[in-house]
Amino acid sequence: MSTTTRLTRKRLGVACIAAVTLLTFTGSTQAAAPAPVRTASAAQPTDATLGYRADGRADSLVIGATAAPPYKKLWSRDFGTVVSAPVAVGDKVYAVVNADDGTEGGPRMMLVGVQASTGKDLWPAVSLEQNEPQAGVSYGGGLLYTQTARGTIAAWDPATGKRKWSVSIGSASMQYPPVWYGGLLYLQDGRGTALALRADTGAQVWTASLSEYSWAPTVVDATGVWVGFDSIAWHHLDLRTGAELHRFEVPNVSGAYGNPVVLGAGAAWMRSSDSDDETVTAYDQKTGKAVRKLPADATPAFGPGRVYVAYRGKVRALSTSTYKASWTYTSSVQAATVRLVANGYVYVDDADGRLVVLDQTTGKVAWSYRLSPTPPPTSNIVAEDDSRGFVVPGIATSKARLFVPGAEGTLIAFGKG
């Protein structure tokens, strides 16, 4: 999808409405409420970062994380132009990279795997089919999974880099990797269809028609599959059959590009893209009722009893019972995004060029690292734009280490030395 198309979609927002109301609600109301305490899904490792925004709920929380600042730089690898949100499992780390060094006239998307302690290759980098942007990687059930923008989905052995299977879903427009849950892969093709595949073979289990096109990541929890849309609408589908459990629509509001649904505090959270209404709204997962609306220009992240909301460079730690702020972090350039919540720390991607790690109790800076120079004062700085570049951004942690994509296609590892 071209940059022009992205910008056109983003500008489809309409005037802010004073109150957000529910337009339609269909289907069963039998889906169970989420457990009050977040646990890893069945058969998935803890102290691991399994994909974009940490795992299938996309809430940025890493269960059982052990990494803690201060950190020392362990190694840095230059992989070309850009590095995706990494996957970190045990003592291994994986990413999709654009290995083009600027001389090849286009992307060269590769899957890489390295030793977490040294950065040395586990196996030679492998090329993805349909050598194009918007490729990414996720993990589940012992395998890695990649996607390309045109819909080639592949499974890989993380020990050898050998491809286990590959399928093409055809006529796709995909940006985010599939989500593993309970032995199935869940995804949507960006052309109005959600799918479930067998994770071990790639065989199709079900397809479901969606009410409109979406470029959002698929979000999955024990209650089902969630897909959001730019018009602030979302589908809730049955895990086993793809049958529609609920369909929610909110009138007269446009969502942030791709409108990623984030599940947290018993709600599905979505952002408005209207420049006059930069907000995130929490919708009850069972009724679709708007239960909370907050100023935000970045996707919220969640920790035990907390939601972290960023707006114009101010990151606020809010109690999920009272929604009062415990502390506030302020960026000097008025733009910041929370990328990870792990082991009592909040990892902030500050648009001033630093990764800033905050103590989740006090909000005090525990450690920071400069990834790029501070942008010029006249720069048009966007707090969060996950459609830029050829991969979705993110950071990862596993086994007391931290893995951060840096400037110009580098991947940097931090630990205790």
Side-chain angles (χ1 to χ4, degrees):
M1 183 168 47
S2 70
T3 300
T4 300
T5 303
R6 290 194 191 101
L7 292 174
T8 300
R9 292 185 60 84
K10 285 185 176 182
R11 290 167 181 163
L12 290 177
V14 297
C16 172
I17 58 175
V20 179
T21 57
L22 183 69
L23 178 64
T24 63
F25 167 74
T26 63
S28 167
T29 60
Q30 301 303 309
V37 177
R38 253 279 264 133
T39 58
S41 61
Q44 287 286 65
T46 57
D47 194 10
T49 307
L50 308 177
Y52 174 70
R53 295 199 182 275
D55 69 2
R57 291 173 59 93
D59 61 4
S60 302
L61 177 63
V62 177
I63 300 295
T66 54
Y71 294 110
K72 294 181 180 179
K73 186 175 179 180
L74 303 179
W75 51 263
S76 178
R77 288 283 306 271
D78 184 349
F79 285 108
T81 303
V82 68
V83 176
S84 74
V87 163
V89 180
D91 59 353
K92 311 291 192 300
V93 61
Y94 311 92
V96 166
V97 305
N98 177 13
D100 179 13
D101 61 3
T103 65
E104 300 178 41
R108 183 159 62 93
M109 309 308 290
M110 311 283 287
L111 175 64
V112 299
V114 300
Q115 286 283 353
S117 58
T118 64
K120 292 182 178 179
D121 290 334
L122 297 171
W123 25 262
V126 292
S127 179
L128 302 186
E129 287 187 50
Q130 300 184 19
N131 213 15
E132 57 188 33
Q134 277 70 58
V137 60
S138 59
Y139 176 92
L143 294 176
L144 298 168
Y145 307 96
T146 59
Q147 103 292 343
T148 67
R150 292 178 183 168
T152 297
I153 313 300
W156 309 83
D157 184 336
T160 65
K162 300 294 185 183
R163 188 169 59 189
K164 305 289 287 186
W165 55 259
S166 177
V167 298
S168 177
I169 58 177
S171 300
S173 181
M174 298 181 65
Q175 183 173 332
Y176 300 90
V179 173
W180 183 98
Y181 192 94
L184 297 183
L185 287 184
Y186 297 96
L187 58 149
Q188 57 90 20
D189 65 2
R191 300 289 187 181
T193 302
L195 306 92
L197 309 177
R198 281 190 52 166
D200 57 348
T201 66
Q204 183 175 291
V205 177
W206 55 255
T207 64
S209 296
L210 304 173
S211 60
E212 59 179 291
Y213 289 3
S214 170
W215 285 268
T218 305
V219 176
V220 183
D221 70 355
T223 74
V225 183
W226 302 79
V227 181
F229 304 94
D230 279 4
S231 59
I232 300 292
W234 68 102
H235 287 270
H236 182 205
L237 308 176
D238 184 82
L239 287 166
R240 295 183 299 274
T241 67
E244 184 178 280
L245 300 175
H246 309 99
R247 180 187 298 184
F248 306 96
E249 297 177 5
V250 180
N252 303 322
V253 178
S254 282
Y257 168 70
N259 195 15
V261 180
V262 177
L263 302 180
W269 298 67
M270 287 180 282
R271 288 192 294 124
S272 168
S273 67
D274 191 336
S275 60
D276 295 324
D277 183 33
E278 292 182 315
T279 57
V280 63
T281 302
Y283 300 94
D284 185 275
Q285 289 183 230
K286 293 180 68 175
T287 68
K289 180 181 179 181
V291 295
R292 189 75 52 185
K293 187 174 183 179
L294 302 167
D297 56 9
T299 303
F302 292 82
R306 292 276 181 84
V307 56
Y308 301 96
V309 180
Y311 179 59
R312 298 187 179 179
K314 293 184 182 295
V315 177
R316 295 188 297 156
L318 305 178
S319 163
T320 52
S321 57
T322 66
Y323 285 88
K324 293 182 178 179
S326 300
W327 50 258
T328 300
Y329 168 83
T330 302
S331 165
S332 63
V333 297
Q334 299 184 326
T337 303
V338 177
R339 290 291 180 198
L340 210 64
V341 179
N343 192 28
Y345 295 94
V346 180
Y347 292 76
V348 176
D349 180 0
D350 192 316
D352 72 358
R354 295 178 302 147
L355 174 65
V356 180
V357 184
L358 308 175
D359 183 290
Q360 73 174 16
T361 301
T362 65
K364 293 182 178 179
V365 176
W367 182 81
S368 67
Y369 185 86
R370 179 158 295 284
L371 296 168
S372 59
T374 301
T378 56
S379 298
N380 180 23
I381 302 172
V382 178
E384 178 182 332
D385 184 2
D386 285 3
S387 63
R388 66 188 173 195
F390 291 157
V391 296
V392 291
I395 63 178
T397 184
S398 179
K399 302 301 180 187
R401 299 185 183 97
L402 182 69
F403 307 97
V404 183
E408 306 299 331
T410 59
L411 179 62
I412 307 169
F414 300 94
K416 293 301 182 184

